[in-house]
Amino acid sequence: TLSGCTGLGLTPSLPNSTTLQNGVFYLEPANCNPTPGKDFEMELKVSSIEDLKGYSVVLSYDPAVLKLVEIAEGPCLSEGNETFFWKKIDLAKGTIQIDCAILGTEISAYGEGSLATLYFTALLTKGDTGVNFAQTQIRDIHNQPILATQESARIRCK
């Protein structure tokens, strides 16, 4: 049986499966108005996903407006499972790379949930920036690509 991102399950093996599923990778909140000098959180989330085994995402933002403080793995893939979670942060360029995969065979996730939480500080300058998907690779249990829509976020410092 399959289970949702709030739980994981065994996925039946489908021989020669090349079906591309659909899903949505998005940032929440989609619009945010933090006060300069204050910290705020943003979640990388997924919805309407089937058979998710792993992902690699590169996000970009304006480092003159935001400073990334930390990234924490969300429960979508890790709850009840061992995962590989890797992050690379380039504060000067304003890029974030997050890679995550469920370890083990025949285990995947579906549904919706939180993949990661990003902790930012709004810098003392006023301005706005997108937190945009620069690159996204999503794979199913058979290492086949999963098609997904990406929905970026807009940050406007007051």
Side-chain angles (χ1 to χ4, degrees):
T1 61
L2 297 172
S3 63
C5 274
T6 54
L8 299 167
L10 297 177
T11 302
S13 180
L14 302 173
N16 301 321
S17 174
T18 57
T19 304
L20 298 176
Q21 297 90 7
N22 291 310
V24 179
F25 269 52
Y26 64 99
L27 295 164
E28 187 174 87
N31 291 291
C32 184
N33 298 303
T35 303
K38 299 293 183 180
D39 297 338
F40 68 97
E41 298 175 13
M42 178 174 283
E43 284 188 274
L44 171 62
K45 298 181 100 173
V46 64
S47 68
S48 304
I49 200 80
E50 294 180 21
D51 204 18
L52 176 62
K53 182 69 171 181
Y55 67 91
S56 178
V57 171
V58 176
L59 301 170
S60 64
Y61 62 92
D62 184 346
V65 178
L66 300 177
K67 178 183 177 187
L68 182 68
V69 178
E70 182 58 69
I71 301 170
E73 183 176 8
C76 185
L77 299 185
S78 65
E79 188 172 287
N81 253 352
E82 188 176 350
T83 57
F84 168 82
F85 185 80
W86 182 82
K87 59 193 174 190
K88 180 180 178 184
I89 301 165
D90 187 327
L91 294 175
K93 291 182 181 177
T95 60
I96 306 160
Q97 181 175 351
I98 305 170
D99 294 342
C100 187
I102 301 169
L103 300 177
T105 59
E106 303 300 320
I107 302 170
S108 64
Y110 79 95
E112 63 181 80
S114 177
L115 298 169
T117 302
L118 304 120
Y119 299 90
F120 287 100
T121 298
L123 298 179
L124 298 176
T125 58
K126 293 182 180 183
D128 73 23
T129 183
V131 178
N132 301 306
F133 287 89
Q135 180 182 1
T136 306
Q137 296 179 3
I138 308 161
R139 297 289 180 167
D140 69 12
I141 200 166
H142 302 286
N143 201 29
Q144 296 299 311
I146 297 175
L147 296 179
T149 304
Q150 295 92 42
E151 297 177 2
S152 298
R154 194 86 184 132
I155 311 300
R156 291 176 184 85
C157 296
K158 300 175 188 176

